[in-house]
Amino acid sequence: MRIQENLEKSKYEADGSLQIQGTTIPYHTICEDNFFVDEENNPVASIFSYAYFRSDIQDNSKRPILFIYNGGPGCASLWLHMGLFGPRIVKLDDELNLPTVPPFELEDNPHCLLDVCDLVFIDPVGTGLGRLIQEKARKEFYETHGDVRSVSKFIEQFLARYNRRNSPVLLAGESYGTTRSALLAGELMGAGPEKADTMGISVSGIFLLGSYFIEKLPVEASATDLITMAATNYFHNPKDDISQKDFIEEAFTFASTEYVTALFLGDACPNKEEIADKLAYYSGIDQTYWLRHHLHMDMQKGFAHKLLEDKGLALGFYDGRYTWNDDPEIMEANVIADDPAMGQYTPAFQTAYGLMRQELNITSDRISKGLVFDVNMTWNREFKTSPAQSLAGCMRRNKQMKVFFASGLYDLCTTAGNARYLATHSNLDQNRVTIGEYPSGHMAYLGKESFDLLAKDMRAFFESCI
C-alpha cells in the first residue's frame, strides 16, 4: 500500500549559522533530488541529498567535502544527520531516560565539522526522501554492488555540478554504511568488481561507525563479542576490585587466547568447565548456560535476554544499557519498534528530522522513514568483492588514505570486538588505522560523554586526513 507523493524533481535552499569553537560559521544548504534514468531518459530511481556549504569561503574548490550515510540496508541518513554530524541535532538531555512522545527540540551542534569541511548527507535509493520510482529497477539498486554504483555515480556528478572535483573526499558510514564505504572507496577509483568506469576519485579518509562488513568472518563471533558482553555486564553489575577498562581488556586477552582455543577444540576441549567459569565471570551469564550451549553465545537471542533474566528484563540489542520488561506474552513486531533502545529514541530522531526539514525549507509532502523494511528484506546481500578486500586494495593504491573504526562498547549488534578484528585482519596498513571505543551503543553519539569523546577523536582524524 502506497500513498501518493509528489515525485517531481525538487531543490530547496536555506541559510544558517552556528558557533564552532568560538567562531561563527555561516552556511548555505541545498537539498535536492538526484534522478537515475532508463534508456528512454525516464526516471527510475532517485537519491536525495542534503548539502551544507560554508558560505564565507570565497573559493571552495579545494575545500574538503564529507559524504555521510547510514546503513540498514534501507536506512535514511537522518540518524547521523540528527545525532552526530548535522549543524542542528536532536536535543537529548538524558539518553537513558528519553521521552517517547513530542514535543522534541533541536539544538546547535558544538562539534559540527563545518569549520573543517562541507557536509553532504545521502538518502540512497528507496531510503529517506530517495525513491525507487519504477519497480523494474528494484534489482539494479537493492543489491550490494548496485547500491555502491549508484552512490558513486551520485558523488561523481555532485563533484562536477558544484566544481568540487579538486576537493579532498571523505566518507562516513554507520552499520551497513561501513560495508558501503569500504566498497565505495574502490568503486570511486574505478576498482569495482564489474569493470567499473575509471572515475579516478581517491578518498582521503573513511570513518566507519559500528562496523559490519557483510561477509562471515573466519572466527567465532562469541569470541569477538566477549568484550561487549563484559562491558555490558560491568555496566549493569559493576565490580569494586577492577575498573571497567581493565575488565574489558582482561576479557579481550582471555577471548584471544584460552577462549578461541577452546572453541577450536569444540567438544574435545579438556577444560570446558574452567573456560565456562571464566566466561560466566566476564559475561555475567552462568556457567551452566555456557556449557549447555557448547561455549557459544547468541547476542540477540541469548545474552540480551539472559543477563538480567532474574529481574525479568531484556537488554537493547542496539544498546545494552537500555532495558525493558521481557514479557513473553507481548508480541514483538520488529527489531526497531520492539528493541528496548531503538524503541525509545526513534520517535525523537524522526520528529527532529521533521523539524529540520522546516529549517531547510523542504516543503515536499514526501515522507522519510528511519528504516524501510521493504528495502531491507528484499536486498541482495551477495558480493563479488568483499568489503575487506576492497578496503585493502584502496589502501594499497592510495598511500594517504586513512581509516577510523569506531564502536560503542554497549552495541550488541555490531560489536567493538568485531571492529577490532576487522581493523587488524583486513590486510590494512596499521599505521593508517585508528580504533576508537566509546561508552554508548550502536549509535555511539548517544549520551554527552560518548558524544564528546567520539566527536573529539573524529575531528582529529578528519583533520589528519586533509
Side-chain angles (χ1 to χ4, degrees), residues 80-157:
L80 288 176
H81 201 161
M82 305 314 307
L84 179 59
F85 286 104
R88 299 273 285 161
I89 55 176
V90 61
K91 184 178 181 181
L92 300 174
D93 292 325
D94 180 358
E95 80 275 16
L96 295 183
N97 295 285
L98 297 175
T100 53
V101 295
F104 298 102
E105 297 179 52
L106 298 179
E107 63 181 356
D108 285 349
N109 179 3
H111 298 300
C112 184
L113 293 168
L114 263 175
D115 58 326
V116 175
C117 58
D118 290 336
L119 309 172
V120 181
F121 297 88
I122 300 172
D123 285 346
V125 172
T127 75
L129 297 183
R131 288 294 180 266
L132 180 71
I133 300 170
Q134 296 290 337
E135 184 64 27
K136 66 181 182 181
R138 176 179 291 267
K139 291 183 179 180
E140 185 177 2
F141 291 95
Y142 291 179
E143 63 105 10
T144 304
H145 294 297
D147 165 71
V148 169
R149 282 193 296 275
S150 67
V151 176
S152 68
K153 289 181 182 297
F154 159 74
I155 290 175
E156 181 185 39
Q157 186 180 73

Side-chain angles (χ1 to χ4, degrees), residues 245-303:
K245 180 179 179 180
D246 289 343
F247 188 67
I248 290 169
E249 291 310 314
E250 269 194 15
F252 179 72
T253 299
F254 168 70
S256 58
T257 53
E258 297 176 67
Y259 186 28
V260 291
T261 300
L263 288 171
F264 180 79
L265 293 173
D267 292 334
C269 177
N271 59 333
K272 282 186 290 188
E273 289 76 12
E274 179 186 345
I275 297 297
D277 274 338
K278 292 184 178 180
L279 288 168
Y281 170 68
Y282 292 119
S283 69
I285 310 297
D286 66 81
Q287 184 212 50
T288 303
Y289 184 93
W290 282 102
L291 289 172
R292 190 168 66 249
H293 290 82
H294 304 275
L295 306 181
H296 293 274
M297 178 66 70
D298 183 291
M299 295 295 278
Q300 186 170 21
K301 298 177 181 179
F303 182 75

